[in-house]
Amino acid sequence: MKAIFCTGRGAAADVLELGETMKPEPGAGEVLVRIMSSGVNPSDVKLRSGAQGPMVADRVIVHNDGAGIIEAVGEGVDKKRVGERVWLFNVNRSSDGLAQGVIGTAADYVSVPAALAAPLPDQTGFDVGACLGVPAMTAHRAVLCAGPVDGKTVLVTGGAGAVGHSAIQIAKAMGARVIATVSSDAKADIARAAGAEFVVNYKQEDLVARITEIAGANGVDHVAEVDLAAHLNLYPKTLSFNASVGAYASATDLTPALPFYPLAFRNITVQPVYVYSMSDAAKRSAVTDINRLLAEGALAPRIDRVFDLADAAAAHQAVESGTLVGNAILKV
């Protein structure tokens, strides 16, 4: 079978190569999935570049997310799952220790524990299915890590990004009033289309003044946060007492200083979110809600570009460029 291998840490064009390997067989408790689409996430790019750890083998098949069709099952798995359309998560960064991280979804086939293959609703395409493992599950956790948001005001920073876009849709579907921040008029249109009732362009507007105006005297109840360092000092000025933050990234400063007492005085909780180490219960909740919202038409991840499998390096470069507004997909 064909697969995209990473042969070292470095630039995509230097270390990613298309090659051949043996088609896997499903072991006990596993399913063999014929991959149709593979997601390209920022975490995949960072892992390849060396920003998130060393190589675990001389060559590894890349990518965590994907979607396809179950072709065979191993011992202990219901044979009725053969032919099932599925989306995959945690494939090469799983706590299950899948072959020490040497397998991924950028391949014709992958064999994974059955629990990592979630049913894909009939009306949902494989490309969308490949956007769910990291972006949608991260969005779900970032929105709901502190509990239900029904009737609450939720702020989604970076509302046009892959995670932010899904976070808006999830928060809206869960009954929240959503405020989103963006950096351009085009991104504002994307955030509004996703369901944000209010959109704030942080390059043109005063965030504190505008968010306070929108949220009212009580302030924002919860934040789904794309850049913790950039917004920490805004929280005491814009969030309600006992508010919460689900922060899944902190790009402008990886070790942000915490304004402890201003946060403590308002009992604001900051919860870091990392999809790969989410509890099993959080993963099950995310899968259940994501599939329900997909089936209801309330969740539709945005895909910016689709690449052929052989163009994996170009896909990585596109993600690294920061110019994509939405997800990048490999067609397998």
Side-chain angles (χ1 to χ4, degrees), residues 20 34 159 170 178 231 257 316:
E20 294 279 346
R34 169 71 170 98
I170 291 169
V178 182
H231 301 129
H316 275 234

Side-chain angles (χ1 to χ4, degrees), residues 42-327:
S43 56
D44 297 314
V45 167
K46 292 173 183 176
L47 186 64
R48 184 224 73 233
S49 70
Q52 291 188 348
M55 294 286 290
V56 296
D58 290 339
R59 66 177 194 166
V60 301
I61 301 175
V62 297
H63 299 171
N64 181 77
D65 296 349
I69 301 170
I70 294 178
E71 189 170 279
V73 300
E75 182 182 353
V77 180
D78 190 342
K79 290 182 171 57
K80 292 180 181 178
R81 294 204 70 182
V82 173
E84 183 180 337
R85 301 167 75 253
V86 293
W87 58 275
L88 307 179
F89 61 95
N90 274 31
V91 169
N92 67 357
R93 303 282 285 275
S94 175
S95 59
D96 298 282
L98 296 171
Q100 291 76 51
V102 300
I103 67 170
T105 64
D108 287 332
Y109 294 91
V110 68
S111 189
V112 301
L116 302 185
L120 184 67
D122 291 340
Q123 67 270 42
T124 303
F126 292 115
D127 286 358
V128 168
C131 301
L132 302 176
V134 171
M137 291 182 79
T138 296
H140 182 274
R141 185 64 176 163
V143 170
L144 296 166
C145 62
V149 295
D150 184 28
K152 295 184 177 181
T153 298
V154 172
L155 173 65
V156 177
T157 61
V163 175
H165 184 266
S166 287
I168 291 172
Q169 294 180 320
I170 291 169
K172 182 72 173 179
M174 296 295 183
R177 181 176 70 145
V178 182
I179 306 169
T181 67
V182 297
S183 61
S184 70
D185 291 342
K187 291 181 179 180
D189 291 340
I190 291 170
R192 287 193 189 93
E197 295 177 56
F198 304 93
V199 179
V200 182
N201 186 328
Y202 64 82
K203 290 191 173 182
Q204 298 176 355
E205 302 177 80
D206 183 303
L207 277 179
V208 172
R210 184 67 178 123
I211 291 171
T212 300
E213 178 187 359
I214 296 168
N218 291 332
V220 170
D221 299 303
H222 181 75
V223 183
E225 181 60 78
V226 69
D227 193 342
L228 182 66
H231 301 129
L232 260 174
N233 289 319
L234 301 181
Y235 299 158
K237 304 172 185 177
T238 59
L239 270 59
S240 66
F241 284 92
N242 302 303
S244 52
V245 179
Y248 59 92
S250 185
T252 56
D253 185 349
L254 301 183
T255 57
L258 188 74
F260 177 78
Y261 283 107
L263 296 175
F265 292 156
R266 300 183 74 81
N267 279 299
I268 295 170
T269 301
V270 178
Q271 171 66 61
V273 171
Y274 190 59
V275 68
Y276 300 110
S277 57
M278 283 165 48
S279 70
D280 288 341
K283 291 173 184 174
R284 288 193 297 270
S285 177
V287 169
T288 298
D289 285 343
I290 286 168
N291 273 357
R292 175 175 61 81
L293 296 179
L294 287 169
E296 293 173 354
L299 178 63
R302 189 173 193 277
I303 298 170
D304 189 300
R305 291 188 64 185
V306 177
F307 298 82
D308 291 334
L309 181 65
D311 296 326
H316 275 234
Q317 291 164 350
V319 172
E320 284 178 305
S321 73
T323 59
L324 298 184
V325 184
N327 298 275

